[in-house]
Amino acid sequence: MKRYFIAGNWKMYKTIGEAVSLAADLREKLAGCGEKLMIAPPFTALKAVGDVLAGSNILLGAQNMGPEELGAHTGEVSVLMLKDVGVSVVILGHSERRHTYGENDQLINRKVRLALQHGLEVILCIGETLEEREAGRLEEVIRTQLEGGLAGVGIEQLSRVTLAYEPVWAIGTGRNATPEDADAVHAFCRRVIAQLYSQEAAASITIQYGGSVKPENAAALMAKPNIDGALVGGASLKAESFVPIARFR
Ligand code: PGA
């Protein structure tokens, strides 16, 4: 049976105390859930949340990472530091990093390769803006982000990469892509992966959908053949909305 990858991205929300309390609640309520699960608290709460999750079925994720192992990089957090606190998955190329903080495919690619070299799993986010979609540039944008983000990533490392298709116009807006539209973009991603790697790699790569996933639309999205999970922002901030998404079936 297909195992979905349901991940929560807490963004810049939650103090340590709030994060620990939500993580403890999720640990209890998601015990026995058979999906692959991850939550990504803010950096300041990683250690405390990692302690709460130890021995559970929920992986500890980080929301970003610096492009170098160490050095004079004021304000960055290194892959070594993430591993030190027990992070096993890192979200890279989130649209807020791309559009608010100016990250380009080249920078994202350095992070992707570094994370993979160090044994982490990567969730590589891709997605078009409304302007790009309306200008008919959807496929060009997705292809460029995939080729750029995955440059130099070998096929043996690709098994540790999850793609997250997150149309920028659907993030935090309450307006999700229809399951049909999302599925079509996921199918396009598989075609690009088949060209870059192999048919087998294209068939086996996990592709999450992200952008206003909620308990009400999760099952319909997950029912689509090319959708293998969800990257959840707003609805991951409360157990009452994240738990039913993770337990959508
Ligand atoms: P949203 O965010 O679920 O609040 O739309 C998704 C994301 O940014 O990963």
Side-chain angles (χ1 to χ4, degrees), residues 9 11 94-96 125 166 170-174 210-213 231-236:
N9 170 14
K11 306 194 180 184
H94 190 277
S95 74
E96 286 146 21
C125 302
E166 300 204 304
I171 297 178
T173 57
S212 299
V213 175
L231 181 54
V232 187
S236 73

